[in-house]
Amino acid sequence: FLRHYAAKSVHPNVVFVLLESWAFHYVDALAGGHYGVTPNFDALVKQGLSFTRAYSHGQRSIEGVQASLTGIPRLPGMPYLGKGLEVTNISRLGAIAQHHGYHTIFVQAPHRGSFRMDAIAHAAGFQEYYGMEDIPVVLDYPDPKGAAFGWDYDTYMFVDGKLAQEKQPFLAYVYSGTTHEPFARLPARFEKRPPGDLTEDGFLNTLYYADWSLGEFMKKAAQADWFKNTIFIFVADHPIGKFGISKVIDRFHVPMLIYAPGVIKPASSDVVASQLDLFPTMVDLMGFEDPFSALGDSLLRKKDGYAFVSAGSIVGLIGKEGYLTSSLKNRLDTGAVGSGPMPPPAYFDDLEKKLLATDQVVFELLQSNRWAPP
């Protein structure tokens, strides 16, 4: 899993945004639906490089954070980021960026201590870290404390203020939160549907608010002097798990977008993309030649491949034609991807071999502390 990309002379800023609980099928520009709650993100999709077959690594936020910051999958029974993985010899995105003169900042909408994210950010090499306790409430909410996982608009405005003061180049990691359940009551202009703290309508209201918040951030960013030298990456940590789930694969299907007008041409890619590809992608975009270890590969280079997924005691592999999940002892589920025909049995036999071999190699490297070069 050792990666090495050629050095580049241009080192752009990178703003990475992890979108809490956004699901692929709610984004009209990606899924072709008519929910009408993501107009700002839909507009960005038309101007960026979007991925129609992008998958979260897991079904919890920490798994998305771990995948994107380290390129390491979460394995059943193994330590994860914030619970021991950080003391292992691993490649660290923020530390690599710092080595090349980048200023690194991590901002999350939830409380500082959630998932021990403050310690995780420090371990990953981020110089500055901020959480809910640091972010002032600036919008007219019915209950300013009503969002248990923070307000997106206020978080983005805080980030905008910080980036205005940062030296370039910078790497900013931003983690949103309002779309986490229970869904908060919002100002009336955002409640297009009946409110509910655990209902699909309640979620769609918060998604509409979250999309508006992101749009306001991007408007401000477009006016900043650092914008033209900045690449934005947007991806959900995992899909909302309560609604619109018909197949196992739906539990991992997320929106993913690389946005940099004038730098990356607008396109839609059907390559199988994973959160585990995002660490390599950011290293590639920032032009670093440092060797590093990650399960994924840069999405600027990836032509085919798989997405390794994990949920509790279950692991799985998603390919272009089909997917397979396993308990590591027994095959649990198989299926076709999209509306295509069911692949033949031999396809799933091969998928199972790849899945078990990947799990075994990752386990042995982490267990022996040989994941990354010394």
Side-chain angles (χ1 to χ4, degrees):
F1 305 129
L2 186 65
R3 304 291 182 192
H4 182 95
Y5 302 132
K8 299 175 185 175
S9 57
V10 177
H11 299 297
N13 306 311
V14 171
V15 176
F16 181 96
V17 181
L18 192 66
L19 302 163
E20 172 64 52
S21 296
W22 285 42
F24 180 89
H25 72 274
Y26 287 122
V27 180
D28 293 346
L30 295 175
H34 302 281
Y35 287 98
V37 293
T38 57
N40 291 286
F41 194 83
D42 292 343
L44 296 176
V45 167
K46 295 175 183 177
Q47 302 173 60
L49 175 59
S50 60
F51 297 87
T52 59
R53 295 184 176 183
Y55 302 98
S56 65
H57 171 55
Q59 295 175 357
R60 300 174 69 227
S61 302
I62 187 59
E63 292 155 349
V65 172
Q66 175 173 313
S68 55
L69 283 180
T70 68
I72 299 176
R74 169 84 185 276
L75 299 185
M78 289 291 290
Y80 56 91
L81 206 58
K83 292 291 184 179
L85 180 65
E86 63 273 14
V87 303
T88 306
N89 184 29
I90 61 177
S91 300
R92 304 166 195 269
L93 179 63
I96 293 174
Q98 274 197 65
H99 177 71
H100 290 273
Y102 272 68
H103 195 86
T104 54
I105 178 172
F106 191 117
V107 181
Q108 67 172 56
H111 288 286
R112 287 195 296 256
S114 61
F115 290 116
R116 300 189 67 240
M117 207 69 75
D118 46 358
I120 288 171
H122 177 74
F126 285 84
Q127 296 159 298
E128 293 185 52
Y129 169 83
Y130 304 96
M132 183 194 294
E133 295 86 343
D134 307 298
I135 300 169
V137 174
V138 295
L139 207 62
D140 55 332
Y141 302 107
D143 177 5
K145 297 182 179 180
F149 293 85
W151 296 110
D152 285 5
Y153 176 76
D154 309 86
T155 301
Y156 289 132
M157 293 305 100
F158 181 84
V159 172
D160 176 70
K162 288 296 178 182
L163 295 185
Q165 304 170 27
E166 295 293 350
K167 294 181 179 179
Q168 298 185 59
F170 57 72
L171 166 65
Y173 192 105
V174 184
Y175 170 30
S176 70
T178 310
T179 36
H180 194 294
E181 62 180 77
F183 311 121
R185 289 300 304 268
L186 300 160
R189 61 188 180 277
F190 300 112
E191 295 193 332
K192 303 297 185 182
R193 293 167 169 79
D197 60 355
L198 295 174
T199 65
E200 185 176 31
D201 282 337
F203 170 72
L204 290 172
N205 286 336
T206 57
L207 184 54
Y208 181 63
Y209 157 83
D211 175 80
W212 172 82
S213 301
L214 181 61
E216 293 300 297
F217 171 63
M218 294 306 292
K219 287 177 186 176
K220 282 187 170 290
Q223 298 171 2
D225 58 1
W226 50 263
F227 178 77
K228 290 183 179 180
N229 188 42
T230 301
I231 297 173
F232 297 82
I233 299 176
F234 305 98
V235 66
D237 56 350
H238 54 77
I240 185 74
K242 290 181 173 293
F243 321 113
I245 302 296
S246 59
K247 297 192 298 185
V248 168
I249 200 170
D250 295 330
R251 298 185 178 276
F252 302 95
H253 201 184
V254 293
M256 183 183 291
L257 175 68
I258 301 176
Y259 175 82
V263 179
I264 295 177
K265 293 181 179 180
S268 176
S269 172
D270 66 354
V271 69
V272 177
S274 164
Q275 287 174 339
L276 291 161
D277 297 320
L278 293 174
F279 177 23
T281 300
M282 285 186 274
V283 171
D284 199 7
L285 285 169
M286 289 185 282
F288 305 151
E289 62 180 349
D290 310 55
F292 67 95
S293 296
L295 182 57
D297 198 2
S298 169
L299 291 171
L300 305 182
R301 304 167 186 269
K302 192 175 183 181
K303 303 300 182 184
D304 203 349
Y306 306 89
F308 186 98
V309 298
S310 176
S313 61
I314 297 170
V315 294
L317 209 59
I318 302 171
K320 202 160 191 176
E321 299 174 40
Y323 67 89
L324 178 144
T325 60
S326 170
S327 68
L328 296 178
K329 293 182 178 179
N330 300 295
R331 183 184 299 189
L332 299 176
D333 188 32
T334 58
V337 172
S339 57
M342 191 72 164
Y347 175 87
F348 293 108
D349 291 341
D350 184 57
L351 210 59
E352 186 171 40
K353 291 177 183 177
K354 284 185 171 65
L355 172 63
L356 297 178
T358 300
D359 178 88
Q360 185 63 30
V361 171
V362 171
F363 174 82
E364 290 179 357
L365 289 174
L366 291 175
Q367 188 80 346
S368 60
N369 200 21
R370 292 185 295 116
W371 176 264

